[in-house]
């Protein structure tokens, strides 16, 4: 499927997923916005394996799994290293200097997919994939501690077909720390003031009107929507054990196949569902 | 008399506009012009006589009156000024103002223009003009009825069109006939709509000068034709569309380039010559409004042209695409132009002749070929449709970008599109203002402002300003916004309640059909799909390289591939009237198409045109409509619109709103990129202040104000405030009602204050300042010298009088006499004479007497009820002078009266006009109240008309700081002869107001008087 050909109808289509194993260094060295309990590595691994298992077995995606790199404690969060939209991939320049090398492995794997590759080489630019929300119609880029204007500009240059609007993000690590797409036209959004404000900004900036799904917990607003041919709307969301109230909200989505996935350990280091994979829809030959 | 006056004013206005915009080819206009001029003279003479006008009620106050002559005015002022004044202005201004277009005025404008031009062009001898003058007067009468101006006239026109001689005859016949004017108007409308047949009637025996026009078409070919030198844009556009066999033409337009990259849309309703000035007659046919959903276009040929445009846009980089999209769109292009991929015929290099992207790589070409193969079986039309389906999703599809800076000087881009205004910084969208969110659009000098509806949690509207590279850029942007909003958001172009609006500043409004209308019209297209040959994009693409104008590469030109084939028969069938050309030029009657067809078309167009609202640079959207949810159905919108129109109509007739003040205050708020809205409290606009008087082109006026102005003739407005302390000001405005007083705001400066001085050089010089506080206090009287001398002179037409009484609560708004500097147009001589008030008052009273007398009853009717008492004691009155932009003015203190005399410009030798504006305001005028803080409880407007008077009463109830305040603003327009004693009438009116509303106090009286002096010769 080329360019805009797919349109919103194809939103959520996905054939491949790139994931990366978590290094043990994550427990102590991973960046975190706030101090907190130590990560239970074993449990984190189990959760991650479940996550990968869902993508691979349950949803039938081709999962490209990168090995962990102990020198890159945050490497499990592959989302930040690349933004892939349709046939084009933008290799980012993560805002945290310690994470810049994560991109190398990502580059290699994406090259194997024969995508149009764009590298962010500008040393003044930073961009974390976690700040990039693609709605199927346009991009929103959070301007956060990790992502700056220049990074957003390069994103806009890379994906010229789409409008790229900037959204200030102050209280969270990433834009997608409190929102994500829960459907083709549906934005899941947290209830915090910051989240609501960001949503308003996005609504104003967009020519399109999105539906919104407001969940009580910001972290729970980060979910993964997939359009799987055999299963229809699929939504990976945080488990009821973690966010019971938010889970109830998701459960009201009758048309979605709901798959709760716990991410309790990675959340301690600001991890969320979308952080752990790069989803790719490869329609042409491969 | 009223009729006469009104009509004349209109005519003049028209002429003004016309003069500015296009005087050229319309024979009718030319013929009319003489008449108009005469009428003008008559007016001016009268005006002179009446010039000195004592204000009855306000006499007690030592108010000084200034008399000014406004030959030239800033746009702001011009609103208030009578049309002829405006006209003069236009003269002085070497440049035509694009802004000035009133469709309603339509014909009149044309006529005026012709007049104006006449001197320049030497087209017609004065004699003819004089003769015509009489006719004009008659016409003028007819004009007043303009409201009625119906389509009917259109019929007559076609006939006229045929022969110039015919025109002359017509004129003679039509004298005294109101119909004439109507017809004229109709014709004008028609013109705007599609073809302008008006041109046909020409008095002047001159031979028509023709100019060769070249138009670059989307397929890379060049179309050339000869046009009358004075042809309007519509004529050329229609010719081009005819050549292209294009019916759904409302999406398209003609561009001309000022510099390499400054593109301007040719205004169909204005003369080409006036728009391009000294530029070569070289145009580019382009898509002007990109349909958001091209699949809704009716004809394939229309989609084809859209495709061509988009291919240009893409190849030139104006429409950015990703690699993949370039390839995809390129493949559809190949499919449309070459058909199915044929491995044998299409060798590897066949594709390199095409340009699919600004920079095209081998890889991309391979991808294109690869995709081309997959399109097997698609017809050219299908391929085009697919192309459009993809292209329309591009984020920059249909976005017209303009360079600008935000309030902090940061470079940004403003993108105008179907949905609103987009703000970009380095390709990133940093803000967006959907049309429903924008309350007002304006520009002043090189600043562009949008007033935005308050965000959810915000209480105040905010105004966001942008700095454009220059005035012209600001104006261009403003016009594009106005057009896009109208085209995409409105069901029909704004329709003025009455045809006779006079406005200052830019009167520009989108004159074409809206998308809704064009769709409707497209549904009526009944012709077999026209055959057209798709040209190869190779040529197009090549030429596109670096050539802003489109395809200039002659080598690429081919024979006219497309439209020529269209048989005449088609034309006849066309809804949009193909016949225009024929009508206009006898020479071009190749088509045997019957004249009637054109008429039909014309009529339709005419309606459309009539719909247009005059305005200023400020463009206020159908606020209500905007509120609508985007999701609403068309029907809902229609219904809603109908009600809105009604409201609007009422509103327009009523007194102005307070908004202007707020506007001023907030006008300059900086743009915060991320912020949704701004609070009104923002710093003041840069340009505010008296100092603005310089040349600022400003066009921020409230529509409300405009509307008032629109009402030509005499208006008296009496506002009675129930507020305890409020005092009443009675102001009489001579001539058009200049005063716009905002009920809610006392400080609000009336329009006159806004007056901007327009410089002769360009519209840029126009100053349209809205000066809130000063205004109220100011009193301006404009006269011509002659008036002084000839007080006794008989006035044939007197226009007059707006009495505007505004009651305000206590705070006295400052009495700051404002000094206004008016710019004198280079060509106009302006003299100022100081005159003692006494004399003026005297005259005034005389003038007013009768008028008021007539109106008394009406006034009473109006006042009944709410207001019980009016205090006219306004002892201390503050008089301020507001000067019209172009006229020199003196500073006036309260006790001073200044009289200004202006010698009419040489250019406008024949017409003398006079305008006086006197404002009396009680010192107690409430300025302290927090501006608009009040909450509007209710507003009511009542309008009544009699033969010679029109009375509009606007009652507003507000709560300010716990005090409820009722304001009654009454505007009385008295139209009459010299015989009427206006002073007495005014006195009477005030007295009655007092009696009727004993509880109320009169806080403001504004008398605006417009008089047209007859030519000395005649009299």
């Amino acid at each position: 499927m080329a360019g805009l050909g797919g349109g919103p109808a194809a939103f959520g289509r996905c054939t491949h997923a790139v994931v990366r194993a978590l290094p043990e260094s994550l427990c102590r060295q991973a960046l975190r916005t706030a101090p907190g309990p130590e990560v239970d590595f074993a449990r984190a691994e189990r959760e991650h394996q479940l996550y990968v298992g869902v993508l691979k077995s349950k949803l039938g995606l081709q999962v490209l799994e990168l090995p962990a790199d102990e020198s890159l404690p945050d490497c499990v969060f592959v989302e930040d290293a690349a933004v892939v939209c349709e046939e084009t991939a933008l290799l980012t320049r993560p805002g945290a200097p310690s994470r810049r090398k994560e991109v190398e492995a990502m580059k290699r794997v994406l090259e194997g997919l024969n995508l149009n590759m764009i590298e962010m080489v500008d040393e003044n630019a930073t961009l974390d994939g976690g700040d990039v929300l693609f709605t199927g119609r346009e991009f929103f880029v959070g301007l956060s501690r990790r992502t700056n204007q220049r990074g957003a500009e390069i994103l806009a240059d890379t994906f010229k077909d789409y409008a790229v609007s900037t959204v200030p993000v102050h209280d969270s690590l990433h834009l997608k720390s409190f929102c994500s797409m829960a459907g083709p036209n549906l934005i899941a959004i947290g209830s915090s003031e910051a989240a609501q404000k960001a949503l308003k900004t996005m609504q104003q900036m967009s020519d399109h009107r999105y539906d919104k799904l407001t969940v009580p917990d910001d972290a729970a607003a980060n979910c993964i929507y997939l359009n799987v041919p055999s299963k229809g709307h699929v939504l990976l969301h945080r488990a009821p054990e973690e966010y019971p109230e938010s889970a109830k909200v998701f459960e009201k989505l009758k048309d979605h196949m709901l798959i709760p996935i716990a991410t309790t350990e990675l959340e301690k280091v600001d991890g969320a569902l979308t952080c752990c994979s790069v989803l790719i829809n490869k329609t042409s030959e491969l | 008399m009223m009729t006469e006056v009104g009509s004349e004013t209109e005519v003049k206005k028209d002429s003004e506009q016309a003069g500015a915009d296009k005087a050229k080819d319309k024979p009718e206009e030319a013929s009319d012009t003489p008449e108009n001029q005469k009428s003008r003279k008559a007016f001016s003479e009268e005006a002179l006589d009446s010039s000195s006008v004592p204000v009855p009620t306000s006499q007690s106050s030592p108010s000084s009156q200034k008399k000014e002559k406004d030959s030239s005015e800033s746009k702001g002022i011009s609103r208030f000024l009578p049309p002829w004044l405006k006209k003069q202005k236009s003269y002085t201004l070497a440049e035509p103002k694009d802004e000035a277009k009133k469709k309603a005025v339509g014909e009149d404008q044309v006529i005026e223009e012709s007049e104006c031009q006449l001197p320049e062009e030497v087209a017609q001898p004065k004699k003819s003009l004089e003769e015509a003058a009489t006719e004009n007067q008659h016409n003028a009468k007819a004009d007043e009825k303009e409201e009625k101006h119906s389509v009917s006239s259109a019929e007559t026109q076609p006939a006229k069109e045929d022969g110039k001689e015919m025109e002359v005859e017509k004129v003679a016949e039509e004298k005294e006939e109101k119909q004439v004017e109507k017809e004229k108007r109709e014709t004008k409308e028609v013109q705007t709509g599609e073809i302008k047949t008006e041109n046909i009637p020409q008095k002047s025996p001159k031979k028509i000068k023709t100019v060769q026009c070249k138009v670059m078409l989307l397929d890379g070919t060049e179309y050339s034709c000869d046009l009358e030198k004075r042809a309007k844009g519509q004529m050329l556009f229609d010719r081009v569309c005819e050549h292209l066999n294009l019916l759904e033409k409302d999406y398209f337009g003609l561009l001309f380039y000022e510099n390499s990259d400054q593109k301007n849309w040719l205004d169909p309703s204005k003369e080409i010559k006036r728009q391009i000035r000294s530029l070569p007659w070289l145009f580019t046919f382009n898509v002007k409004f990109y349909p958001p959903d091209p699949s809704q276009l009716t004809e394939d040929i229309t989609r084809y042209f859209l495709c061509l445009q988009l291919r240009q846009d893409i190849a030139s980089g104006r429409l950015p695409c990703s690699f993949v999209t370039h390839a995809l769109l390129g493949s559809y292009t190949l499919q449309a132009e070459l058909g199915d991929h044929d491995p044998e015929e299409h060798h590897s290099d066949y594709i390199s002749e095409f340009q699919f992207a600004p920079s095209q790589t081998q890889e991309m070409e391979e991808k294109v070929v690869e995709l081309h193969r997959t399109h097997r079986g698609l017809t050219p039309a299908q391929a085009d449709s697919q192309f459009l389906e993809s292209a329309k999703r591009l984020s920059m599809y249909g976005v017209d970008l303009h360079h600008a800076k935000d309030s902090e000087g940061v470079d940004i881009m403003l993108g105008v599109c179907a949905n609103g205004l987009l703000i970009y910084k380095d390709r990133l969208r940093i803000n967006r203002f959907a049309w429903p969110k924008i309350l007002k659009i304006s520009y002043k000098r090189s600043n562009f402002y949008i007033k935005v509806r308050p965000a959810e949690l915000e209480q105040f509207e905010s105004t966001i300003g942008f700095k454009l590279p220059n005035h012209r850029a600001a104006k261009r942007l403003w016009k594009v916004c106005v057009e896009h909003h109208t085209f995409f958001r409105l069901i029909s172009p704004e329709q003025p309640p009455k045809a006779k609006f006079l406005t200052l500043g830019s009167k520009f409004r989108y004159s074409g059909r809206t998308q809704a209308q064009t769709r409707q019209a497209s549904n009526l297209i009944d012709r077999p799909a026209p055959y057209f040959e798709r040209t190869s994009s190779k040529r197009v693409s090549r030429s596109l390289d670096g050539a802003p104008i489109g395809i200039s590469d002659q080598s690429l030109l081919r024979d006219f591939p497309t439209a020529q084939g269209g048989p005449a028969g088609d034309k006849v069938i066309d809804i949009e009237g193909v016949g225009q050309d024929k009508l206009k030029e006898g020479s071009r009657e190749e088509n045997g198409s019957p004249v009637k067809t054109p008429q039909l078309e014309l009529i339709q167009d005419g309606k459309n045109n009539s719909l247009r609202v005059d305005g200023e640079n400020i463009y206020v959207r159908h606020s209500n409509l905007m509120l609508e949810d985007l999701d609403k159905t068309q029907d809902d919108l229609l219904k809603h619109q109908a009600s809105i129109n009604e409201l609007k109509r009422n509103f327009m007739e009523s007194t102005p709103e307070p908004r202007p003040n707020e506007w001023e205050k907030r006008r300059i708020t900086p743009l915060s990129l991320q912020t949704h809205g701004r609070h009104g409290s923002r710093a003041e606009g840069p340009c505010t202040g008296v100092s603005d008087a310089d040349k600022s082109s400003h066009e921020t006026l409230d529509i409300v104000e405009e509307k008032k102005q629109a009402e030509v003739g005499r208006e008296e407005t009496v506002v009675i405030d129930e507020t305890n302390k409020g005092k009443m000001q009675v102001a009489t405005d001579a001539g058009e009602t200049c005063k716009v007083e905002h009920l809610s705001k006392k400080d609000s400066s009336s329009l006159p204050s806004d007056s901007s001085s327009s410089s002769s050089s360009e519209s840029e010089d126009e100053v349209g300042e809205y000066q809130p506080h000063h205004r109220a206090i100011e009193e301006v009287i404009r006269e011509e010298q002659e008036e002084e001398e000839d007080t006794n002179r008989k006035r044939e037409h007197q226009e007059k009088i707006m009495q505007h009484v505004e009651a305000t609560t206590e705070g006295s708004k400052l009495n700051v006499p404002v000094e206004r500097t008016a710019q004198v147009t280079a060509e106009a001589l302006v003299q100022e004479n100081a005159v003692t008030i006494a004399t003026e008052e005297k005259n005034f009273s005389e003038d007013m007497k009768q008028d008021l007398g007539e109106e008394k009853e009406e006034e009473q009717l109006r006042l009944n009820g709410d207001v019980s008492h009016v205090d006219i004691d306004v002892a201390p009155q503050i008089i301020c002078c507001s000067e019209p932009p172009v006229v020199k003015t003196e500073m006036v203190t309260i006790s001073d009266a200044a009289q200004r005399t202006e010698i009419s410009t040489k250019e406008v030798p024949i017409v003398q006009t006079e305008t006086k504006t006197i404002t009396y305001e009680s010192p107690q005028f409430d300025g302290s109240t927090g501006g608009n803080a009040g909450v509007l409880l209710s507003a009511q407007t009542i309008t009544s008309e009699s033969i010679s008077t029109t009375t509009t009463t606007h009652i507003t109830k507000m709560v300010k700081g716990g005090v409820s305040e009722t304001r009654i603003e009454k505007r009385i327009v008295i139209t009459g002869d010299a015989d009427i004693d206006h002073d007495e009438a005014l006195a009477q009116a005030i007295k009655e107001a007092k009696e009727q509303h004993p509880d109320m106090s009169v806080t403001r009286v504004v008398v605006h008087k417009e008089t047209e002096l007859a030519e000395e010769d005649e009299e």
Side-chain angles (χ1 to χ4, degrees), chain B residues 80-127:
Chain B
F80 302 97
L81 299 181
W84 55 83
L85 290 178
K86 290 181 180 181
K87 177 182 180 180
Q88 289 179 351
K89 179 181 179 180
S90 65
Y91 274 102
T92 56
L93 299 181
E95 296 180 351
K97 295 182 179 180
D98 302 350
E99 301 171 354
K101 291 180 177 180
K102 277 197 173 179
K103 297 187 173 181
V105 179
E107 274 204 340
D108 297 7
Q109 291 181 351
V110 173
I111 294 169
E112 289 182 357
E113 284 186 353
S114 63
E115 291 181 358
C116 295
Q117 294 176 348
L118 290 178
E120 296 176 358
E121 296 179 354
V122 186
Q124 297 177 348
K126 288 185 178 180
K127 292 179 180 179

Side-chain angles (χ1 to χ4, degrees), chain B residues 98 101 237 251-256 262-268 275 283-290 309 400 402 476 479-480 483-484 508:
Chain B
D98 302 350
K101 291 180 177 180
F237 181 67
Y251 299 96
F252 301 84
L254 292 174
L255 279 175
F256 62 95
Q262 294 189 337
K263 58 177 192 178
N264 296 275
W265 291 106
L266 188 65
D267 189 328
Q275 300 181 59
F283 305 92
T284 306
F285 181 79
N286 262 23
V287 172
K288 186 174 187 181
F289 302 112
Y290 289 75
Q309 176 70 67
D400 188 28
H402 298 255
R476 258 200 309 275
K479 289 174 73 172
V480 168
E483 292 181 325
H484 274 71
F508 175 82

Side-chain angles (χ1 to χ4, degrees), chain B residues 481-526:
Chain B
C481 284
V482 169
E483 292 181 325
H484 274 71
H485 170 257
T486 305
F487 185 81
F488 289 110
R489 283 289 296 173
L490 301 185
I491 306 297
S492 63
E494 280 189 282
Q495 182 173 11
K498 297 183 180 182
K500 42 181 173 179
F501 282 157
L502 299 180
T503 60
L504 294 187
S506 174
K507 296 149 198 152
F508 175 82
R509 284 295 183 271
Y510 175 62
S511 60
R513 290 196 281 213
T514 64
Q515 181 174 239
Q517 289 172 328
T518 195
R519 281 180 178 169
Q520 209 165 7
S522 297
N523 289 334
L524 301 179
I525 291 177
D526 181 19

Side-chain angles (χ1 to χ4, degrees), chain B residues 376-511:
Chain B
R376 183 167 298 278
L378 287 186
T379 65
Q382 288 171 328
D384 279 348
S385 293
Q386 291 295 315
F387 178 96
L388 294 175
E389 283 305 296
S390 289
K392 76 175 186 186
R393 289 201 207 114
L394 294 168
S395 74
M396 298 305 287
Y397 172 84
V399 178
D400 188 28
L401 288 176
H402 298 255
H403 288 280
K405 291 180 189 297
D406 65 12
S407 59
E408 294 166 356
V410 177
D411 285 319
I412 57 173
M413 299 284 278
L414 301 182
V416 183
C417 66
N419 295 322
L421 188 62
L422 303 168
I423 319 295
Y424 295 93
K425 180 173 182 297
D426 295 325
R427 292 173 292 275
L428 293 175
R429 185 183 290 183
I430 55 176
N431 214 335
R432 170 180 172 275
F433 301 96
W435 293 129
K437 184 148 175 96
I438 299 175
L439 294 170
K440 179 158 59 178
I441 308 168
S442 62
Y443 71 93
K444 178 176 183 177
R445 293 178 184 153
S446 61
N447 296 307
F448 174 80
Y449 303 99
I450 56 174
K451 183 177 182 181
V452 182
R453 196 179 292 283
E456 249 177 71
L457 300 178
E458 293 178 5
Q459 192 171 2
F460 301 102
E461 297 161 343
S462 57
T463 296
I464 301 170
F466 304 93
K467 181 80 174 173
L468 275 288
N470 53 56
H471 167 78
R472 294 185 63 78
K475 184 173 174 179
R476 258 200 309 275
L477 172 59
W478 179 81
K479 289 174 73 172
V480 168
C481 284
V482 169
E483 292 181 325
H484 274 71
H485 170 257
T486 305
F487 185 81
F488 289 110
R489 283 289 296 173
L490 301 185
I491 306 297
S492 63
E494 280 189 282
Q495 182 173 11
K498 297 183 180 182
K500 42 181 173 179
F501 282 157
L502 299 180
T503 60
L504 294 187
S506 174
K507 296 149 198 152
F508 175 82
R509 284 295 183 271
Y510 175 62
S511 60

Side-chain angles (χ1 to χ4, degrees), chain B residues 722 866 935-940 955-959 964-967:
Chain B
E722 276 197 352
D866 301 44
V935 177
L936 181 65
L937 290 180
S938 66
Q940 178 178 11
I955 303 171
T956 312
K957 292 184 181 178
M958 297 190 67
V959 175
S964 109
E965 170 179 306
T966 301
R967 284 165 167 267

Side-chain angles (χ1 to χ4, degrees), chain B residues 719-729 746 805-812 869-874 921-926 965-967 998-1004:
Chain B
V719 179
I720 301 175
D721 218 342
E722 276 197 352
T723 338
N724 311 335
K725 300 178 179 180
K727 287 190 176 180
M728 195 170 210
Q729 294 180 345
K746 313 195 167 173
V805 180
E806 197 176 41
T808 48
T809 47
E810 311 189 16
S812 52
H869 154 63
V870 178
D871 288 341
I872 304 189
D873 53 344
V874 196
E921 200 162 4
S922 65
Q924 302 159 358
F925 196 74
D926 174 10
E965 170 179 306
T966 301
R967 284 165 167 267
D999 300 341
M1000 315 268 298
S1001 58
V1002 178
T1003 56
R1004 170 177 254 189

